[in-house]
Amino acid sequence: MSVHLNPPNPADLHAIAGVRIGVTQAGIRKADRKDLTVVLIDEGASVSGVFTQNRFCAAPVQVCREHLDSGQGIRAMVVNTGNANAGTGEEGLKRARETCVALAEALHISPNQVLPFSTGVIMEPLPHDRIIAGMPAAIEAAGNTSNAQQWVNAAEGIMTTDTVPKAASTQVQIGTTTVSVTGISKGAGMIRPNMATMLGYVATDACVAPVLMKELSLALAEGSFNRITVDGDTSTNDSFVVIATNKAQHAPITSLQSSEGQALLQAMLQVARELAQAIVRDGEGATKFITIRVEGGNTSAECRQVAYAIAHSPLVKTAFFASDPNLGRILAAVGYAGITDLDQTGIDLFLDDVHVAIQGGRHPEYREEDGQRVMKQSEITVRVVLGRGTASDTVWTCDLSHDYVSINADYRS
């Protein structure tokens, strides 16, 4: 079940020069499913990553941070699904490093040039022997599959409870050069990234100065994956990686504030947002995609604070699932969001075009049947005006259904 989300069509995805992807079946958790992906990156590319803020972070997250900090230049990534390699202690770190060594030996590069990623069940030993055994087939697939199809295969190969693979792509002009941007993501539950998503990868053939990559990856995460939530849980494995292969024929971009930097940023942000919103649309058991926009705050941070209070409320989310306009629940969430000097008489609430509350009270013209009409839609916008300032921010979320409980109750079976 998903909300207006279709599988990606290879014809809609643009090849990224300098990136090759191979996917295979390694039997990591279940037979007969794509579960091992290798990404091969040409020398000279620039790579940056943003990772979970969960202090109980997974072994691959720790190794990724170490390898990026080594400054050796990332040349490959290995991604497995079916096992998160989280809560596995020193043995988990050892197995993550051994997968990097194995891929590095096969590619004749340094282990520090490999980034490992895992997603799946927590606190189970990583079957690294199966991953290592599957690497030759994945590497071979990287050379025998069209680039666009490789991205689709990878989107399928990183799925866990996702019902639809997630990929997005666009092109933009940088000077006289056409630059491509393509990305994939996975995630459906344990989604309140607080940095990025469970797994997300966006690549471009644009020429980007290496010193700009960290700023670029943070800006993309902040404008997309840091604005979504399904259930308020921050994963142990959240990882978002940005790759610039520097293959396009244009002068290197050295500032995001330049016209070229802004053009690339907006194109990559379009892809990142599409991927982030796809996660919400495919939220476990989701039947509705909900945009929560908070306006009139003193800062964007407090607007986001209020938006997340609404988005995380089980009472609000279940009301949306039932199409029940019990909208006092939204006002209650605004009130407990943590703004100590909030004046309730300045608050207005809208559901799409329906003005529900004005100056903290029910709008005299509001009718419950109007609220229910909006709540029956599969896509809904909640707009809250705080009446405190000029700042605003937006969060995307979904409803909470019976299926969410069933999916998570049965996850390990």
Side-chain angles (χ1 to χ4, degrees), residues 2 4 10-11 14 61 69 87-88 103 108 113-114 123 130 154 175 208 211 214 255 270 290 337 349 387 390 399:
S2 62
H4 300 164
H14 301 289
V61 169
D69 288 345
T88 49
L103 186 56
H108 307 292
Q113 294 180 292
V114 179
M123 290 189 67
R130 298 177 203 167
V208 181
V211 295
K214 190 64 176 181
S255 170
Q270 174 188 327
I290 304 164
L349 170 63
T390 59
D399 57 341

Side-chain angles (χ1 to χ4, degrees), residues 46-385:
S46 301
V47 179
S48 182
V50 186
F51 300 93
T52 183
Q53 293 183 28
N54 190 320
R55 296 299 300 167
F56 204 86
C57 60
V61 169
Q62 298 175 58
V63 175
C64 279
R65 286 172 171 155
E66 293 171 2
H67 289 187
L68 284 166
D69 288 345
S70 75
Q72 292 194 29
I74 302 304
R75 296 290 311 282
M77 303 190 301
V78 54
V79 191
N80 75 268
T81 187
N83 183 296
N85 195 12
T88 49
E90 286 299 321
E91 182 63 22
L93 285 168
K94 178 176 178 287
R95 295 186 181 199
R97 292 189 176 111
E98 287 179 0
T99 61
C100 294
V101 169
L103 186 56
E105 289 178 349
L107 300 175
H108 307 292
I109 58 176
S110 164
N112 282 355
Q113 294 180 292
V114 179
L115 299 182
F117 303 88
S118 298
T119 183
V121 177
I122 295 172
M123 290 189 67
E124 290 188 3
L126 181 73
H128 63 312
D129 53 339
R130 298 177 203 167
I131 294 173
I132 293 170
M135 284 180 181
I139 294 170
E140 182 180 1
N144 296 335
T145 313
S146 69
N147 196 279
Q149 184 62 50
Q150 289 174 1
W151 285 97
V152 174
N153 292 346
E156 296 173 352
I158 64 175
M159 292 167 61
T160 50
T161 59
D162 309 59
T163 66
V164 181
K166 302 164 181 68
S169 193
T170 192
Q171 291 184 317
V172 63
Q173 289 295 121
I174 304 294
T176 59
T177 303
T178 300
V179 164
S180 298
V181 181
T182 299
I184 59 174
S185 67
K186 65 81 53 183
M190 198 179 274
I191 299 295
R192 193 275 169 106
N194 202 20
M195 52 63 58
T197 180
M198 288 190 70
L199 291 180
Y201 309 95
V202 174
T204 178
D205 55 4
C207 300
V208 181
V211 295
L212 196 61
M213 289 299 294
K214 190 64 176 181
E215 180 185 355
L216 177 60
S217 61
L218 287 170
L220 292 174
E222 190 65 14
S224 60
F225 296 114
N226 271 0
R227 296 294 182 274
I228 65 170
T229 182
V230 169
D231 47 22
D233 273 345
T234 297
S235 168
T236 56
N237 293 59
D238 290 341
S239 303
F240 173 53
V241 173
V242 179
I243 303 166
T245 65
N246 298 308
K247 294 289 188 179
Q249 301 299 310
H250 64 83
I253 296 171
T254 58
S255 170
L256 290 184
Q257 283 65 53
S258 67
S259 59
E260 295 84 0
Q262 280 296 300
L264 179 64
L265 175 62
Q266 292 307 313
M268 297 187 78
L269 194 55
Q270 174 188 327
V271 170
R273 281 182 176 163
E274 187 173 336
L275 295 173
Q277 291 181 15
I279 290 171
V280 174
R281 293 182 182 279
D282 198 26
E284 290 171 342
T287 69
K288 295 174 182 178
F289 177 82
I290 304 164
T291 298
I292 301 175
R293 180 165 180 80
V294 179
E295 303 170 354
N298 282 334
T299 65
S300 60
E302 79 171 19
C303 291
R304 191 161 65 253
Q305 183 177 335
V306 171
Y308 270 124
I310 298 168
H312 290 155
S313 167
L315 291 176
V316 171
K317 294 166 80 72
T318 51
F320 275 107
F321 172 64
S323 302
D324 176 18
N326 192 352
L327 301 176
R329 294 178 174 183
I330 296 177
L331 294 176
V334 173
Y336 64 61
I339 301 177
T340 56
D341 61 343
L342 182 65
D343 180 2
Q344 64 177 286
T345 64
I347 297 172
D348 280 32
L349 170 63
F350 298 81
L351 280 184
D352 280 4
D353 59 331
V354 177
H355 198 166
V356 177
I358 185 170
Q359 296 180 338
R362 181 177 178 133
H363 194 289
E365 296 182 8
Y366 171 68
R367 299 292 179 268
E368 187 162 305
E369 54 267 30
D370 294 328
Q372 189 169 55
R373 168 179 57 82
V374 174
M375 293 187 78
K376 286 182 176 180
Q377 299 170 180
S378 57
E379 302 207 22
I380 302 163
T381 297
V382 175
R383 185 163 67 93
V384 176
V385 182

